Amino acid sequence: LNSTNLNTMQDNIENAIATVIESGSNSRGSYIKYSDGTMICTATKETGVISWTADAVDNVFLSSGTFDDFPQTFINVPHVVKSIEYITPNNRYIDMCGKGAPSTTNAGSFNLKTYWNASNTNVRMSYIAIGKWK
């Protein structure tokens, strides 16, 4: 080993270790930016789902919607995991599936399905998005 090799190793180690360079939150969620360009955005939104449509063929009730924009914009479409929790007096079952693909600014849209009339049901929708900010 010589000083050139040691400097190169140190530079490689420093470049490999991602450090947090910025974090914050706004009305749309929270974010963390890392020095290697990685960004993680998260958000949770509690909302009343008031517009359900009965599907007589499948005997279910359907609804849909769109997530709010990310708290920061990605340079490429991030990997997004969406989830939903039901907030009902009887802990009834609600299923969510992704509808629209995410973009650099938004987690996309979703479909909700339930087997009971959920007209007064509140839901908590969450996502985590991981991608690049630079």
Side-chain angles (χ1 to χ4, degrees), residues 12-31:
N12 290 339
I13 291 169
E14 288 174 359
N15 289 334
I17 299 172
T19 56
V20 174
I21 63 164
E22 181 182 345
S23 65
S25 62
N26 56 39
S27 62
R28 299 181 313 265
S30 299
Y31 65 93

Side-chain angles (χ1 to χ4, degrees), residues 18-22 32-40 133-134:
T19 56
V20 174
I21 63 164
E22 181 182 345
I32 302 172
K33 291 181 178 180
Y34 294 90
S35 61
D36 69 349
T38 300
M39 180 167 63
I40 300 172
W133 66 273
K134 69 174 185 174

